[in-house]
Amino acid sequence: LTINSVILIIQNLIMLREKQTAIEIENARLKLKNTEAVIQELKQQIHPHFLFNSLNTLKTLIKNSPGAAEDYLVKLSDFLRTSISAGNDNIVPISDELRFCLDYLGMQKIRYGGALKYTVDISEEQGKSGFIPAFSLQLLTENAIKHNALTKEFPLHIKIREEADRIIVSNNVRKKITPESSPGLGLINLAERYRILSGEEVIIKNSYEQFSVSIKILADERSNN
């Protein structure tokens, strides 16, 4: 009787554990699907905003500088092609994201000329071995241009550099006389994507003279999972 009772208890414990495991697996599956949906929603919030601004810029260039408009259109086409080919990857090599970001900055350079300057200091080795969320650098540079005044007398200087295990995007602050009304969704979205994908925090520093955002370099692309 004692042996039978022990066997019965063990069987019940095994069945209970299997049931708990099945519940945990189902919860993990639902959490994954929810995470994927959130990431896709956050990514989709970026593209329409950028495209709207780009078309407005192109419209202005066509009127004022047809030659620059043609060059801008070529760069925009390359930029959108890269954006579409990125597919559903949430994490990309730094080199890919940097190339994407430089396409964007090239378009803005056509628009603003000497009023915009930018420098990049990221090693080739880091560019190939490190990973960051897709569209992150482009979003940060767009944020800098959006919220600052750009003039030839006082140009906006954007710096993209690596420091230890992070990439820092910084700019001198040139506040607009009439600041744009913005809920700051870009940085909020980026911070949320980092939290979902890796659990890492985005570090924002804002002073009277300089604004910077620091993002963690991810070790590999398995964060996509």
Side-chain angles (χ1 to χ4, degrees):
L1 181 60
T2 301
I3 293 176
N4 288 339
S5 298
V6 171
I7 293 175
L8 184 60
I9 291 173
I10 293 175
Q11 286 178 334
N12 288 336
L13 288 174
I14 292 174
M15 292 176 63
L16 178 62
R17 181 55 186 167
E18 288 179 346
K19 189 173 183 178
Q20 289 177 336
T21 301
I23 293 174
E24 290 173 359
I25 292 174
E26 179 63 15
N27 287 338
R29 186 184 67 81
L30 293 174
K31 183 178 180 181
L32 175 61
K33 291 183 71 66
N34 180 66
T35 298
E36 290 174 344
V38 170
I39 291 173
Q40 291 303 319
E41 181 181 356
L42 294 176
K43 287 169 67 177
Q44 290 302 319
Q45 290 177 11
I46 298 173
H47 295 296
H49 173 72
F50 166 77
L51 186 57
F52 178 78
N53 287 345
S54 298
L55 292 177
N56 278 341
T57 299
L58 183 60
K59 179 181 178 180
T60 301
L61 287 173
I62 290 174
K63 292 181 179 179
N64 300 330
S65 180
E70 183 177 355
D71 192 14
Y72 186 92
L73 183 59
V74 172
K75 292 183 179 297
L76 177 60
S77 176
D78 291 339
F79 180 89
L80 293 176
R81 185 181 300 109
T82 302
S83 176
I84 294 172
S85 65
N88 294 321
D89 289 339
N90 297 312
I91 302 295
V92 296
I94 293 175
S95 57
D96 290 353
E97 174 61 19
L98 184 58
R99 183 165 54 250
F100 184 71
C101 178
L102 290 176
D103 282 341
Y104 169 78
L105 287 173
M107 287 187 288
Q108 302 313 307
K109 185 68 175 176
I110 293 174
R111 177 182 178 184
Y112 293 105
L116 173 63
K117 301 180 183 296
Y118 56 89
T119 58
V120 177
D121 185 15
I122 297 178
S123 67
E124 183 177 351
E125 179 181 357
Q126 187 67 277
K128 293 180 179 178
S129 61
F131 295 81
I132 53 178
F135 311 114
S136 53
L137 295 183
Q138 183 273 323
L139 184 150
L140 293 176
T141 54
E142 181 182 6
N143 185 70
I145 294 172
K146 178 181 179 181
H147 293 286
N148 289 277
L150 284 76
T151 64
K152 291 183 178 180
E153 293 75 18
F154 301 101
L156 177 68
H157 192 171
I158 299 174
K159 299 179 181 180
I160 304 173
R161 72 183 193 277
E162 64 175 287
E163 187 174 297
D165 61 347
R166 306 185 75 88
I167 290 181
I168 300 174
V169 180
S170 61
N171 62 271
N172 55 326
V173 176
R174 299 292 182 187
K175 291 185 178 181
K176 293 182 177 180
I177 297 177
T178 305
E180 292 190 27
S181 175
S182 171
L185 287 178
L187 286 179
I188 293 174
N189 286 352
L190 180 60
E192 182 68 5
R193 291 172 66 199
Y194 253 95
R195 185 189 67 79
I196 292 173
L197 292 169
S198 65
E200 298 291 343
E201 295 294 328
V202 171
I203 300 175
I204 301 173
K205 294 183 179 180
N206 189 11
S207 68
Y208 180 77
E209 297 181 344
Q210 189 176 65
F211 181 86
S212 70
V213 179
S214 172
I215 58 177
K216 179 72 176 293
I217 297 174
L218 305 178
D220 55 51
E221 59 184 343
R222 283 180 296 178
S223 294
N224 278 315
N225 298 323

